[in-house]
Amino acid sequence: MVRQTTISPDDFIYPMFVTHGKGIRKEISSMPGCYQESIDELIKNAKEVYSLGIPSVILFGIPEHKDEMGSSAYDDNGIVQNAIKAIKDSIPELYVITDVCMCEYTSHGHCGFIDKGEVDNDKTLSLLAMEAVSHAKAGADMVAPSDMMDGRVGAIRAAMDREGFSNVPIMSYAAKYASAFYGPFREAAESTPQFGDRRSYQMDPANRREALKEVALDIEEGADIVMVKPALSYLDVISDIKSSFAVPVAAYNVSGEYSLIKAAGKLGWIDEDRIMMEILISIKRAGADLILTYFAKDAAKILND
């Protein structure tokens, strides 16, 4: 009766990795229980997600072809675009969010256009806008730019409005830190940078106030939901943002956080289920309205029982 923080499957967004082919369900070695899936297998998984009361998924694509411009990202016949259509045909009630970034699609693995060995922020904006529009055309319910280029929310909002998608909201990765917790994801999405790193456009883990500046800019440009990534090492940032802005706040319980718990659980060092639920409660308690988590299905089963 007096519990101050509660969670339910309604709070979760489940990340999914879609790849080309048929009948493919390849477990990600560093993320037990998570898979690269072809569209037919993805649909089966998405049906289970929806049956557990989880209202939403976020899609990450693994393209057949990569190039310097990441052209598969904004191909209307791309892997994510086709996955959106298939989900909407099979499970129309499931809310489909798409990751908007270039790193999965570029041959160099960076999140933007490369000019003379550097990521060119401004030249990247039009590519991200084209990607978001192509996702909206395919039927995406929401787009989520994760690249951390300055001005990308405004560019995406303007492009989608021009194309008649003014009602498609934007969930911005507003405070995305240059974190070592992303390692397993880069295996899952096949998006490891081929040179350098992403510290020139992602945030310094030492910076707290900067997050408020980044969030304010994204809201001004048209973000409907703002996200903090990762979650566990940045609970203070989640709390700051929730206290400072009157918009929904999402938090990404990222791959490294997931894999640490899975590894320790497999070794019998911890009670995996209890730790999982404690972590999710802590993210919600810090102020997150929505939690993107690979634990979504496991947690939903416990909550439903």
Side-chain angles (χ1 to χ4, degrees):
M1 287 174 64
V2 295
R3 177 169 286 179
Q4 296 170 359
T5 306
T6 59
I7 56 173
S8 80
D10 283 340
D11 299 324
F12 300 146
I13 299 169
Y14 185 59
M16 306 184 80
F17 301 94
V18 59
T19 190
H20 284 272
K22 192 170 183 180
I24 294 172
R25 194 166 190 259
K26 178 184 175 185
E27 188 168 35
I28 299 156
S29 63
S30 58
M31 298 175 64
C34 297
Y35 300 84
Q36 293 179 346
E37 298 173 298
S38 54
I39 290 175
D40 56 320
E41 294 294 330
L42 186 88
I43 294 299
K44 296 176 189 175
N45 197 358
K47 287 180 178 177
E48 181 189 10
V49 169
Y50 188 69
S51 73
L52 291 169
I54 300 164
S56 181
V57 297
I58 183 166
L59 299 180
F60 298 89
I62 299 143
E64 209 165 22
H65 167 73
K66 297 189 179 194
D67 57 37
E68 287 192 0
M69 298 294 290
S71 58
S72 294
Y74 40 87
D75 182 352
D76 287 344
N77 197 37
I79 185 63
V80 165
Q81 289 82 347
N82 287 331
I84 296 165
K85 295 170 190 173
I87 291 173
K88 284 301 172 185
D89 284 343
S90 300
I91 324 152
E93 302 89 356
L94 184 63
Y95 197 84
V96 178
I97 305 169
T98 58
D99 177 75
V100 175
C101 194
M102 306 302 295
C103 62
E104 300 111 297
Y105 305 94
T106 54
S107 53
H108 46 73
H110 277 286
C111 300
F113 178 81
I114 298 293
D115 185 18
K116 299 176 182 176
E118 300 285 344
V119 174
D120 189 315
N121 185 100
D122 293 354
K123 288 182 180 177
T124 302
L125 300 184
S126 61
L127 304 180
L128 296 168
M130 287 193 294
E131 182 180 6
V133 167
S134 73
H135 291 175
K137 284 181 178 177
D141 297 297
M142 180 186 290
V143 296
S146 63
D147 54 283
M148 285 298 284
M149 299 296 126
D150 292 336
R152 90 274 203 210
V153 173
I156 289 169
R157 182 74 277 158
M160 292 205 301
D161 288 354
R162 283 195 305 270
E163 296 294 329
F165 298 109
S166 58
N167 290 330
V168 175
I170 296 172
M171 178 170 64
S172 169
Y173 289 63
K176 181 178 180 180
Y177 285 84
S179 172
F181 282 102
Y182 303 149
F185 173 91
R186 289 174 182 171
E187 178 198 346
E190 299 179 9
S191 61
T192 303
Q194 298 303 300
F195 61 89
D197 55 42
R198 295 175 179 151
R199 284 183 288 182
S200 65
Y201 47 96
Q202 294 179 358
M203 289 176 56
D204 185 340
N207 291 4
R208 181 173 179 175
R209 294 191 304 273
E210 183 187 357
L212 298 179
K213 177 183 177 182
E214 293 283 0
V215 167
L217 288 169
D218 283 3
I219 292 172
E220 185 178 343
E221 291 177 22
D224 300 281
I225 300 171
V226 293
M227 187 198 301
V228 177
K229 181 181 180 182
L232 290 182
S233 295
Y234 303 90
L235 297 178
D236 56 333
V237 176
I238 296 169
S239 179
D240 288 350
I241 292 169
K242 184 65 176 178
S243 299
S244 301
F245 301 97
V247 297
V249 177
Y252 203 141
N253 179 210
V254 298
S255 59
E257 297 166 346
Y258 172 86
S259 297
L260 288 173
I261 302 308
K262 283 290 183 181
K266 185 177 181 180
L267 289 169
W269 291 349
I270 59 169
D271 183 328
E272 183 180 319
D273 286 350
R274 285 190 65 190
I275 293 278
M276 170 184 69
M277 299 307 291
E278 188 173 336
I279 282 171
L280 295 174
I281 281 281
S282 76
I283 297 168
K284 186 77 181 291
R285 190 185 66 240
D289 301 289
L290 303 168
I291 304 173
L292 294 82
T293 180
Y294 304 98
F295 285 124
K297 290 199 300 181
D298 293 341
K301 289 172 184 175
I302 290 173
L303 291 166
N304 290 337
D305 288 344

